Amino acid sequence: MHRPLLVSDDPALLDRVVDLAARHALELDVAPGPADARRRYSTAPLVLIGDEAAHAWLRAGLPERAGVMLLTRGHGTARVASLAEEVGAEWIVRIPDGERYLLRELRRASAGPAVTTAVRGRILACIGGRGGAGATVLAAGLALTAGRAGLRTLLVDADPLGGGADLALGWEKVKGLRWPALEHTDGPVDPGALFAALPARDGVALLSCGRDPDAAVGLPPAAMASALDAGGRARDLVVADLPRRLDDAATLALRAADLVLLVVPAEMRACMAAARVAATIAPHTDAVQVVVRDPGEVRRRQIEAVLRLPVAGELHSEGGLPGRVDRGAGPPGRRGSLVALCRHILGGVGLGPVSPEAGAAA
């Protein structure tokens, strides 16, 4: 919890700083860029940014925080000073001249409690092990279950080639902002203004894809970063519905997620397809768990053995659920397998107790 975070892709800078820390038995978390650093950024006691990574840092739109240091191998220039101001760095340290000072700050940061900018909301991501696995229904179920429990929730539709989270919820006619309106967003956005403009009901705000078939396919990564940041600052929970073919925006959401739920129908072909999806997402997250849909033909233990991933729970078919989605009524109702599973998952990430009903279903 108390490891400083170094963000740089400069090999020479990395070698100097990592070697300095190792010689004095200090541990660092190292990330090549802001996308990889996002999950640890708010809790690291000290953040070190290489000057070559500063422009990417600015584009990522991460919120300002205390305890940021800009590292440079160049001489003190107006350009470096300007970069430090833009990224919100409190210090500029030249390597190797300033290594003694850097070592002192690393020791201080490693010994003290972690610094946090604020209590940030949880981020969950859902992804299908194959097409039609039910990831969108699970994402919608999680969002609605959380919203009805009083949690401020943002549901992010990150699959521009999917059927649309607004259709899954039955919200296609609800007025509000969609992704195309955020296409040119670059940097932090005001959470209050954003959530006032999005379609919302029952404590859930929705950021869904547009309906224009001629619109560009793919979501802007900068807009995704802004949405995740706003959701983390102003919501208790962000749920992202991810495509199986990752683009840059989906990868950002995947890396930011506290828990990634891989939905796998209990069929051998689906299990084999899910294994490929799991291999695709593995470089970006180590927080993957499986939701087994309709266990029967392929048992839970077999899926665990093939995928080598823990099982978060099981989702059993509900006779009226497909009809609800087709009628635009949206999932879920107030009870049933989906609601029980969602309550169990939310309880597991610290967003409410697990009810007896949920524990039995999972």
Side-chain angles (χ1 to χ4, degrees), residues 6-287:
L6 171 61
V7 184
S8 174
D9 62 359
D10 178 349
L13 181 67
L14 287 169
D15 285 347
R16 294 287 310 205
V17 177
V18 171
D19 180 65
L20 175 69
R23 281 189 280 115
H24 295 274
L26 298 173
E27 293 184 333
L28 296 175
D29 281 338
V30 179
D36 303 274
R38 184 175 292 275
R39 288 181 64 192
R40 291 163 285 174
Y41 167 71
S42 64
T43 55
L46 179 67
V47 177
L48 313 174
I49 305 174
D51 60 355
E52 87 293 339
H55 290 297
W57 191 268
L58 292 171
R59 288 194 300 272
L62 292 169
E64 290 188 11
R65 54 152 287 170
V68 175
M69 180 182 293
L70 186 71
L71 304 183
T72 179
R73 292 193 298 119
H75 295 281
T77 64
R79 181 188 71 85
V80 174
S82 176
L83 284 176
E85 183 177 357
E86 291 181 39
V87 300
E90 299 175 55
W91 312 277
I92 301 173
V93 177
R94 184 173 180 269
I95 303 299
D97 297 358
E99 287 185 355
R100 180 176 297 180
Y101 176 80
L102 174 60
L103 177 60
R104 187 185 75 187
E105 294 303 315
L106 287 174
R107 281 173 169 162
R108 180 180 299 171
S110 298
V115 175
T116 59
T117 53
V119 177
R120 297 182 66 83
R122 298 288 189 180
I123 301 178
L124 304 184
C126 299
I127 186 168
R130 65 156 169 79
T136 298
V137 171
L138 177 60
L142 285 165
L144 286 176
T145 302
R148 289 168 179 166
L151 298 172
R152 299 166 302 164
T153 303
L154 171 65
L155 175 59
V156 177
D157 181 1
D159 187 358
L161 294 179
D166 54 350
L167 287 174
L169 287 171
W171 289 16
E172 65 272 20
K173 295 183 180 179
V174 179
K175 293 182 180 179
L177 227 60
R178 264 66 172 178
W179 271 117
L182 301 177
E183 184 177 353
H184 301 295
T185 301
D186 188 359
V189 298
D190 177 66
L194 175 63
F195 294 119
L198 293 177
R201 284 179 182 171
D202 296 329
V204 179
L206 171 66
L207 182 51
S208 63
C209 296
R211 295 280 165 220
D212 184 358
D214 297 323
V217 174
L219 304 176
M224 176 63 78
S226 298
L228 292 173
D229 173 61
R233 283 188 285 151
R235 303 274 107 172
D236 301 305
L237 173 67
V238 178
V239 183
D241 179 25
L242 303 185
R244 288 180 298 127
R245 290 184 177 273
L246 298 177
D247 56 16
D248 290 342
T251 301
L252 275 178
L254 185 67
R255 289 172 173 169
D258 299 291
L259 175 64
V260 179
L261 297 163
L262 177 63
V263 184
V264 184
E267 309 158 358
M268 188 51 67
R269 288 184 62 198
C271 192
M272 293 300 102
R276 291 192 288 272
V277 175
T280 300
I281 65 179
H284 307 294
T285 178
D286 58 1

